[in-house]
């Protein structure tokens, strides 16, 4: 199994959201309400509050069945409600539903954060960044280990330390993310890798 430390990447984009927010209120929209997506939201909130302890984080989930991944209309409705409450940046981890939230973000001239792959291109100028799961790195490293005879079966984890999660910078968000903001993100990454910052993990939090 090639597994990703989603909470670490979510912490970084949460910090970026807090650094960029003008209202002191950011949002998260998840697809199906399951532990995996809670892991995203917990990391995101922790990153935002690390930057600004007083920041308000609004969390919504589209549903509790598989249909939650393919309901853009509901995602748009939730995004519009968050924006009307003062949210100016929304992290969207909702599969195909996410396009609806991005439509709302563009309409209201706010900022969104993509997930898993680089989604900056979907709404150029309106996507602050995307939280990347580097599947390319995971697959390449696995093939490389197989070729060199170092492959071990079982679970392999990909986080910030081995470049398994990250945030995206390209021509679509280059002007939105200032050099100072990126420098702060890189500093936070280094602190997490050095274990100076402990990112809360929903899988390990007592409930």
């Amino acid at each position: 199994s090639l597994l990703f430390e989603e909470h670490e990447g979510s912490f970084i984009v949460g910090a970026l959201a807090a650094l960029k927010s003008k209202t002191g209120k950011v949002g998260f929209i998840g697809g199906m309400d399951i532990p995996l997506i809670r892991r995203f939201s917990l990391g995101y909130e922790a990153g935002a509050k690390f930057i600004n302890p007083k920041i308000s984080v609004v969390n919504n989930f589209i549903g509790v069945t598989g249909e939650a991944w393919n309901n853009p209309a509901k995602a748009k409705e939730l995004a519009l409600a968050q924006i009307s409450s003062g949210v100016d940046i929304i992290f969207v981890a909702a599969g195909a539903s996410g396009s609806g939230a991005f439509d709302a973000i563009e309409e209201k001239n706010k900022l969104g954060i993509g997930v898993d792959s680089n989604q900056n291109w979907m709404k150029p100028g309106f996507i602050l960044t995307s939280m990347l799961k580097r599947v390319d790195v995971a697959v390449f490293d696995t093939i490389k280990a197989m070729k060199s005879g170092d492959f071990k079966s079982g679970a392999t984890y990909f986080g910030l330390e081995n470049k398994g999660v990250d945030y995206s910078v390209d021509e679509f968000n280059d002007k939105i993310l200032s050099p100072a903001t990126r420098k702060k993100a890189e500093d936070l990454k280094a602190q997490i890798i050095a274990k100076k910052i402990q990112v809360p993990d929903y899988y390990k939090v007592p409930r």
Side-chain angles (χ1 to χ4, degrees):
S1 295
L2 309 180
L3 304 171
F4 296 87
E5 306 286 25
E6 299 93 358
H7 57 308
E8 292 184 356
S10 297
F11 183 97
I12 299 299
V13 300
L16 288 171
L19 287 165
K20 192 72 178 177
S21 176
K22 295 174 182 174
T23 63
K25 194 171 188 179
V26 298
F28 174 86
I29 294 177
M32 190 174 172
D33 189 355
I34 53 176
L36 171 65
I37 305 303
R38 291 274 177 177
R39 197 183 199 208
F40 280 95
S41 67
L42 185 65
Y44 176 71
E45 185 166 344
K49 290 189 172 177
F50 186 87
I51 296 297
N52 176 8
K54 295 181 179 179
I55 200 165
S56 175
V57 183
V58 179
N59 286 286
N60 289 120
F61 295 87
I62 292 167
V64 293
T65 68
E67 294 174 3
W69 303 116
N70 195 25
N71 192 343
K74 180 67 173 178
K76 184 174 183 179
E77 179 188 321
L78 291 171
L80 288 171
Q82 287 193 7
I83 291 166
S84 69
S85 77
V87 166
D88 61 352
I89 300 174
I90 304 174
F91 181 25
V92 186
S97 299
S99 62
F102 287 161
D103 284 345
I105 287 159
E106 182 181 37
E107 283 177 23
K108 297 298 183 180
N109 197 28
K110 303 303 178 184
L111 289 171
I113 296 173
V115 75
D116 292 345
S117 61
N118 186 345
Q119 297 182 316
N120 297 357
W121 60 273
M122 291 179 69
K123 297 289 183 183
F126 295 96
I127 307 298
L128 177 64
T129 187
S130 297
M131 197 291 281
L132 304 175
K133 283 187 185 177
R134 296 296 305 273
V135 178
D136 54 338
V137 170
V139 172
F140 182 85
D141 285 358
T142 303
I143 295 169
K144 187 178 176 184
M146 192 77 190
K147 194 167 185 292
S148 65
D150 296 325
F151 176 78
K152 292 182 177 65
S153 62
T156 305
Y157 294 87
F158 293 87
L160 289 172
E161 189 169 5
N162 53 2
K163 297 180 170 55
V165 294
D166 208 345
Y167 67 99
S168 59
V169 179
D170 59 19
E171 68 271 27
F172 299 114
N173 72 335
D174 185 56
K175 292 178 181 176
I176 309 172
L177 279 181
S178 69
T181 302
R182 289 181 221 176
K183 185 177 183 301
K184 182 64 178 176
E186 293 302 316
D187 178 54
L188 291 174
K189 281 167 62 175
Q191 289 189 63
I192 292 168
I193 291 167
K195 305 289 192 290
K196 292 178 180 176
I197 295 175
Q198 297 293 325
V199 180
D201 185 350
Y202 188 80
Y203 290 163
K204 297 173 183 176
V205 173
R207 294 187 294 282

